[in-house]
Amino acid sequence: MDAEQGDEPLTRGDLTGAVQSYFDLMDGPAVSLVVETFTPDAVVVDDGNTYTGHAAIRAWLSGPANQFTTTSTWLFVRPADRGTEVGILIEGDFPGGRVELRYDFTHDRDGLIEALTISI
């Protein structure tokens, strides 16, 4: 998942708006506030499951999204059509202990996250 040749390397500090808030809140004590970075009808796809709307995303945040202790190494940040792509190496106490994940965010006109797909 390395940055493509010719891509200017970006870092977490290059994020703005709701995506920056998403990661800041996920790393802090107020994970329950992450749902506010999403539109009311947003869709999250993670580990083969789909979560639609604030109630389902809140359940994902309090369950599957936070069930393991992890550390992360940022691999890339780059703009995408109507969104942002982020690559992160995650290490922790989950099965396998190490995985490179790609976060594909789609933003709405107001800058909120209307879709997030997390994939390997």
Side-chain angles (χ1 to χ4, degrees):
M1 222 189 307
D2 296 326
E4 295 175 13
Q5 250 183 334
D7 281 350
E8 181 178 328
L10 300 174
T11 66
R12 181 177 178 154
D14 293 302
L15 294 173
T16 59
V19 175
Q20 178 68 52
S21 295
Y22 170 88
F23 286 111
D24 288 347
L25 291 166
M26 286 296 286
D27 287 345
V31 172
S32 62
L33 297 178
V34 174
V35 74
E36 301 304 322
T37 65
F38 291 89
T39 62
D41 59 348
V43 176
V44 172
V45 177
D46 180 32
D47 200 24
N49 297 300
T50 301
Y51 308 89
T52 304
H54 279 181
I57 293 170
R58 191 173 287 111
W60 168 71
L61 290 167
S62 65
N66 273 306
Q67 64 186 358
F68 301 107
T69 302
T70 63
T71 59
S72 58
T73 302
W74 287 65
L75 303 174
F76 66 82
V77 174
R78 59 180 163 238
D81 184 36
R82 292 187 55 221
T84 306
E85 296 175 1
V86 178
I88 301 176
L89 171 64
I90 306 290
E91 297 178 282
D93 59 356
F94 53 89
R98 181 181 168 108
V99 65
E100 287 185 19
L101 295 178
R102 178 178 164 164
Y103 293 73
D104 290 305
F105 293 92
T106 302
H107 309 204
D108 77 349
R109 284 178 271 143
D110 297 321
L112 293 174
I113 300 165
E114 68 179 10
L116 167 59
T117 300
I118 302 171
S119 59
I120 296 176

